[in-house]
Amino acid sequence: MVEFAYNANGLRTIPLERAIEAVADAGYRGIELSLHPAHLDPFAFGQAEAEPVRKALERTGLTACCLAAGADNLLGPERFEPSLIHPTAEGRARRIDLVRRSVRIADELGIPYVNFATGKRKPEVSEEQAHQWLVEGIEQVLDGSGSAVLAMEPEPEFFLETNDGVARLADELASERFALAQDLGHCRVVEEDYLASVERNLPYTRIIQVEDIKGRVHHHEIPGDGDLDFTGFFSVLRRGGYTGYVSVELYNHTDRYEHALRRSHEVLTAALAAADAEPRG
């Protein structure tokens, strides 16, 4: 059975404990926690920070289904940099350290997946070199301690921007701790047939983020405010036997988070019911 979650990066204007309560109050079963200085600072996280989060999750009954480690300014003012494919060894090492910290935080809080991305390939870096650095960086994380699965999210204009690209990397790495984190809106932006891409890559998928999209423009819209076929999406998940979390990501709607929480849940619940009502065969 599909369960709904909400990414806390859309609630970063309020304290994390209050964000957890707001997600639960809106009817979600899970929350995707997100690294951010206002919530979970990866460079200042310890037992003192973990305990109130655990208590809030226990109090509300929410499941922390994933840890999103892709905030744009965690390592500096240049968005998403340095990345795993940064031209300098020092830059790549800083990103590898961040992913390792993310795994430790996820393990501490009992979160099964860490969501991350490749970053953009700079012009002076060849595709072959970027691929080599990407594989080396991920393997360094996988070779370290920890149990959380690394779930890579394709991102428009990043080195890996399609589900198929991450699936090929998963085949190459052949690790039980590396998987795909789909983003439905991103599929719509970069794929000609986004629902076919979702379905084709479900075997690699551990979590799916959603938002609505208008006209294939990469701007996260509240579900119901764009063009995506959510009923068709849930039909694909039903056919493919997906039973994980579908997590709403609306980081750009923090100023109206209460509406975004409520409206997203209403639209997705209705679409799931409509998909479930379709004839099976």
Side-chain angles (χ1 to χ4, degrees):
M1 179 179 177
V2 171
E3 299 283 6
F4 296 140
Y6 199 91
N7 193 317
N9 65 10
L11 302 161
R12 62 188 181 276
T13 56
I14 60 177
L16 180 53
E17 292 173 69
R18 173 62 193 128
I20 293 171
E21 293 169 354
V23 172
D25 290 345
Y28 295 83
R29 299 294 298 273
I31 186 168
E32 189 175 6
L33 297 180
S34 183
L35 297 185
H36 190 276
H39 280 180
L40 293 175
D41 186 341
F43 304 105
F45 181 86
Q47 284 293 329
E49 289 72 32
E51 191 58 26
V53 176
R54 280 194 290 262
K55 288 182 177 178
L57 292 170
E58 292 172 2
R59 186 169 62 250
T60 59
L62 279 186
T63 295
C65 61
C66 187
L67 176 65
D72 59 356
N73 59 354
L74 287 170
L75 294 179
E78 185 180 1
R79 298 187 70 210
F80 306 113
E81 294 292 345
S83 71
L84 288 169
I85 56 173
H86 193 267
T88 69
E90 177 186 7
R92 297 192 299 276
R94 290 181 62 205
R95 179 61 63 171
I96 290 168
D97 173 69
L98 177 61
V99 180
R100 284 173 168 163
R101 288 174 182 268
S102 303
V103 169
R104 289 196 291 270
I105 293 170
D107 286 349
E108 180 67 29
L109 294 174
I111 303 173
Y113 308 117
V114 170
N115 178 316
F116 72 124
T118 64
K120 294 184 178 181
R121 179 174 65 87
K122 293 185 177 295
E124 64 268 32
V125 178
S126 69
E127 289 193 15
E128 293 77 10
Q129 185 64 81
H131 179 80
Q132 178 183 336
W133 284 337
L134 178 62
V135 170
E136 289 174 352
I138 294 171
E139 287 180 337
Q140 285 184 50
V141 178
L142 294 175
D143 289 342
S145 59
S147 60
V149 172
L150 303 181
M152 176 163 280
E153 177 185 346
E155 181 85 25
E157 300 183 354
F158 277 26
F159 180 55
L160 293 185
E161 63 175 2
T162 66
N163 288 336
D164 289 343
V166 176
R168 286 192 294 269
L169 180 60
D171 285 338
E172 179 179 353
L173 291 167
S175 171
E176 293 182 354
R177 288 189 56 216
F178 183 85
L180 168 63
Q182 291 202 42
D183 185 301
L184 180 64
H186 295 177
C187 289
R188 174 59 176 157
V189 172
V190 302
E191 307 267 13
E192 289 302 321
D193 190 337
Y194 67 103
L195 292 181
S197 175
V198 170
E199 187 161 24
R200 184 168 61 248
N201 290 288
L202 280 179
Y204 297 91
T205 304
R206 298 297 175 269
I207 187 166
I208 304 176
Q209 293 181 334
V210 297
E211 64 280 334
D212 217 335
I213 293 289
K214 287 181 182 178
R216 301 186 71 177
V217 175
H218 186 202
H219 184 272
H220 288 215
E221 306 283 357
I222 295 171
D225 291 350
D227 308 323
L228 294 190
D229 178 4
F230 285 106
T231 299
F233 165 66
F234 286 119
S235 296
V236 164
L237 300 192
R238 186 187 67 193
R239 288 197 304 270
Y242 179 81
T243 57
Y245 279 88
V246 169
S247 178
V248 180
E249 187 186 20
L250 296 173
Y251 56 82
N252 53 340
H253 292 277
T254 56
D255 58 337
R256 54 197 303 230
Y257 71 85
E258 291 177 321
H259 169 73
L261 275 167
R262 184 175 60 255
R263 173 69 170 157
S264 299
H265 194 273
E266 291 173 352
V267 169
L268 295 178
T269 299
L272 178 59
D276 285 342
E278 291 177 343
R280 298 174 184 258

